[in-house]
Amino acid sequence: MKKYDVVIIGAGVAGALIANELAKKGRSVLILEAGVRGPKERTDLVGNYLNSTNRSLGSPYNVFPAGVINKAPIEDAPNLPHYYDQDYNQPDQNKYFKSNYERRVGGSTWHWLGNCPRLLPNDFETASKYKIGVDWPIKYRDLEEWYCRAEHELGVAGDHDELDNYFGAFRSQPFPMPKIWPSYSDLLITQKLSGSSDLWSEFNDKPLALMSTPQARNSEPYDGRPVCAGNSSCVPICPIGAKYDASVHTKKAEANGADLLDKAIVTRIIADESGKITSVEYQDWEDKKHNVKGEIFVLAANAIESAKILLMSDLANESDQVGRNLMDHPQGEGQCIVNEPVFPFRGPPTTSGIDKFRDGTFRAKTAAFRLSMGNDGGGRSNPPQGVLKELINDNFGVVLRQNLKARVTSQFRISFLAEMLPSPDNRVTLSPDKDAAGIFRPRITFSVDTYTLNSFAVIGEVMKSIFLALGSKLEDINVKNPSFLPAGHIMGTCRMGNDPKTSVVDKNLRCHQHPNLYIAGASVFPTVGSANPTITIAALSLRLASFIEKQFKPVTQWHQTEKGQK
Amino acid sequence: MASNGKRSEIISLLSEACELEHGLACSYLYAAFSIKQSASEGDITWDQLQYARRWAGQLYFIASQEMFHLSQAWNLLTALGGTPYYGRPNFPQSHRYYPIDLPLVLEPFGERALKRFIFYELPEHVSDVEFLVKEFHIPKERIQKAFTVGKLYESILNGIKQIPESKLFIGDPALQVGPEVCHFNEIVKVTNRETALRAIHTITEQGEGTKTDQLDCHYGLYLEIEREYRNMRIAATEKGLKFEPARKVIENPMPAFYAGQILAGANVIKNDFSSHVSVLFDNIYSLMLRMLQYVFQSGPLPDGLQKNIADGSIQLMTRVLKPLGEALTLLPSGHGNDLKCGPSFGLYRHVSFPANFRETLYLIIEALTQSADQCKVLSNNAAAPAQLLNATANLVSVQTYISNVAAMSLAEFASAVKS
């Protein structure tokens, strides 16, 4: 096999963006993806989901022909074998890791929600500002132009004027698309909250008000993809491709000349004595081993798999930080019955949120959080099927239909995601057990600490105040969250920092110990703020691609040099 | 067609643009209404249906953008001293009415409709004229000289540039409607040449794209849908499957009630029940337009009533006319071969709402109540499809909404609501 300029491990959003940027510049690029690609038709994935009897995030994707063993397993539905090695029997539900991901071309963007809020300036400096967590080695302003580029690459619809300078997060360019229209319930809440903007002023001086959520979902045709048609099934799959997924950029990368090998599970990254990476060893789904050489290597396999690969390779870990500081955004929900219909299930699951609680001096003691207004009725906790099950005992026929309609059209939920702090004890290591491919499973130890858990009670009160403003009765409100829900935001295991003793990569995402090994994705986040990570991943990836390109001589100069050599 | 730099000429061209945007929206909606919604309707597999539903979604989106273009054209008209105009000829429209080689018609979704739509949205700088020559059998030189919506706006633009700004923009700025009233996120309040140019640029970019991007505009979308449709038909033929994504509906329907005004090429709906539903559709359609027109000429009203009326109009569009239009494509036309009908989008004799908002509210509520009563009667008929029942419930809801907002603002309406 030829020697590539750049070998990228992982075909999720980070790997796909980097591959495309470098391939466009004429670099020879290989992407190695452990999972499968395709199928050719999106409708096949939708069909898989509809035909599943036990639906999960992976239902559209983890369907294989008879006799084919999935050699890139994931943590999916509860009744399937666990992929993670962790203590599922311990009673405290806040003490194990719940988020999962996809291992396929396009990665977890297949089933992500699509929300794209940026991190705030103070999210990069929590240690300096609030004496919690650690500071990033870069500031918001270092990343701002890349956020703009990422929003154009993914196609993010948002309200520039509303968000410009909110908590100091200036925006140098407008979004490429106008915001997704607010839903009916968004408009109702805005109206009902208009007299309550002073609520919760003890957090900060921002009003309690809805803001449009920037999202990678087309509000108009964009990049050859259709406008959102309100199918409302974004998680786990957009049937029409209006929501961005990274297959957009894997296709572009291949069209620009990148090679992509699926079913290629990287088992080891190999370095020479100086620490320079020389090749990558991977195993195909027939268990045959292969080796590929490159000049520069990018590990973009998500925070759990990237850490696992480094640990298996015994690389980049003089700091003993690889695998540590695993983070998620612990989530929760509140539901209510509003005293008038709010007509859910029209449009994306969320179109607006409340960002007021994302920053303030309170963060010294308790977690920042963001609220999302739901357009999906009772949310995860009380879907229409659950309501039907509840009503069916005492209702029948036309009355059942009428009561079901009355209830479902009036259900409303708010979900929240809260910041959690890095902890060295929250970590990924190698399990002694192996998966179907004979490769180490990840062992995970994880718990959410009181900094975050203590915020849940306050968040519950905030949600209750909004439900009451909407006109709900107390008995129709539920804000209890005995344990956190997973957000699918897997972050932190190879964090960036200036000090090689406490971090894995530097501010340019280059491994401190290995000059030609870079890490992309959320594994490099030192802290997580209260923003869904994907747009930050995308911004960092585009920035990294630009940095990597500068490590090469210009293509024409190289050709001239080669021609001059005898 | 070039503007001679007179205000009257620009207003005339803008009115023509309004007619076209409006007519196109109706044409697209008719095609969208005709698309099947379930594989149980026959001659379409589940996989094919997913494509058909996506095409319907895109048609609805394009139609909604045409309505945005109409609204934007109204802001342009008002800025120049004109008034919002929604008139247009009924369907089918003679190809001589506009200097266009293809008339505007109401026909079901299919290859012929798609090719027509591609031609309507032709960019000025179209890259593949040969394809159009082959598809439409129109001589190349005629395509290159073809009247297009884009060329119409170009004439308007040229006219706007010819008249001094201070003389041209004489309209009351308070009458301009922004997104805070009408929910079109990108609508521009036109007060000067710069905002006028921005407004026109948005319209043409959405319709025919730019020189460098013809992918994400209406033209590009229709090209893509037509390509997918063609490929789907080829694939179905190869597998020995049927592929009929659209219901069998007549073209250019007209309710029997208006048979005296029938146009050449129109098809009178011969089934009595369907004809009544069609008349109801036309009445609500006319009401929706008049409400929206009122919003664009009333200026701010007390207690946010301007926005409430806009909301009511949009709700009539999406919650009442859509299910009613779909219901009509399921109802018998009375013509042979089990052909169904469709909405005629007929505009007949009526007047705009008066300037006084109290009177207008009264008239709106009265019209909504009468339509709701009629809808209830029709939906009790055994032949009524589920969509008609849905439209009835939603129409009652819109009537209640407008009545309540009127009651909150004006005492004389409060007692009416209580009673």
Side-chain angles (χ1 to χ4, degrees), chain A residues 172-394:
Chain A
S172 58
Q173 287 183 41
F175 289 99
M177 286 181 280
K179 66 183 179 189
I180 300 273
W181 282 26
S183 65
Y184 179 82
S185 56
D186 289 342
L187 299 176
L188 191 69
I189 300 167
T190 299
Q191 189 194 350
K192 302 264 181 170
L193 279 185
S194 62
S196 312
S197 56
D198 290 342
L199 279 180
W200 304 105
S201 56
E202 61 268 35
F203 278 85
N204 51 46
D205 59 2
K206 299 280 185 222
L208 183 75
L210 259 58
M211 295 174 81
S212 174
T213 301
Q215 42 200 288
R217 195 177 336 275
N218 288 355
S219 60
E220 56 190 30
Y222 185 83
D223 200 19
R225 289 180 286 121
V227 66
C228 175
N231 284 287
S232 210
S233 64
C234 318
V235 180
I237 182 162
C238 175
I240 64 173
K243 180 191 77 170
Y244 173 85
D245 65 74
S247 70
V248 168
H249 277 96
T250 56
K251 286 185 189 124
K252 286 185 182 185
E254 286 186 284
N256 282 318
D259 291 332
L260 192 160
L261 281 181
D262 65 338
K263 299 182 184 175
I265 313 159
V266 169
T267 50
R268 201 158 63 106
I269 302 173
I270 298 165
D272 66 18
E273 284 161 3
S274 72
K276 184 178 172 194
I277 308 299
T278 56
S279 66
V280 158
E281 184 182 87
Y282 69 90
Q283 178 178 308
D284 64 29
W285 280 31
E286 271 81 53
D287 299 334
K288 292 199 192 95
K289 292 211 187 298
H290 307 265
N291 191 284
V292 62
K293 293 184 171 53
E295 282 295 326
I296 285 178
F297 297 79
V298 180
L299 182 50
N302 90 39
I304 289 176
E305 297 295 331
S306 289
K308 202 183 87 174
I309 290 169
L310 287 177
L311 291 170
M312 290 195 302
S313 309
D314 194 21
L315 290 177
N317 203 17
E318 272 186 12
S319 62
D320 190 30
Q321 292 301 299
V322 170
R324 294 190 188 272
N325 308 302
L326 173 66
M327 289 173 281
D328 192 355
H329 280 124
Q331 280 196 332
E333 269 190 356
Q335 307 94 27
C336 73
I337 310 289
V338 186
N339 60 356
E340 59 185 285
V342 296
F343 304 113
F345 298 108
R346 294 171 189 201
T350 180
T351 36
S352 296
I354 293 178
D355 290 67
K356 171 185 164 70
F357 304 98
R358 294 186 58 201
D359 201 11
T361 52
F362 66 90
R363 290 174 80 181
K365 296 207 172 66
T366 184
F369 59 93
R370 184 177 184 275
L371 302 177
S372 282
M373 304 297 115
N375 296 326
D376 53 359
R380 301 187 205 188
S381 311
N382 201 4
Q385 302 90 306
V387 176
L388 177 61
K389 229 169 143 178
E390 212 180 299
L391 293 175
I392 207 161
N393 291 328
D394 302 319

Side-chain angles (χ1 to χ4, degrees), chain A residues 86-98 446-450 453 481-484:
Chain A
Q86 61 180 341
D87 182 4
Y88 289 99
N89 294 320
Q90 55 101 0
D92 188 342
Q93 295 282 304
N94 291 317
K95 288 199 170 168
Y96 67 87
F97 194 75
K98 301 174 186 174
F446 185 82
S447 77
V448 181
D449 70 15
T450 53
L453 290 177
N481 284 279
S483 69
F484 76 94

Side-chain angles (χ1 to χ4, degrees), chain B residues 362-389:
Chain B
Y362 186 89
L363 291 168
I364 291 172
I365 293 169
E366 183 178 74
L368 283 169
T369 306
Q370 288 170 354
S371 293
D373 289 343
Q374 196 184 358
C375 216
K376 285 174 197 166
V377 167
L378 290 170
S379 62
N380 281 334
N381 190 299
Q387 287 86 341
L388 184 47
L389 276 71

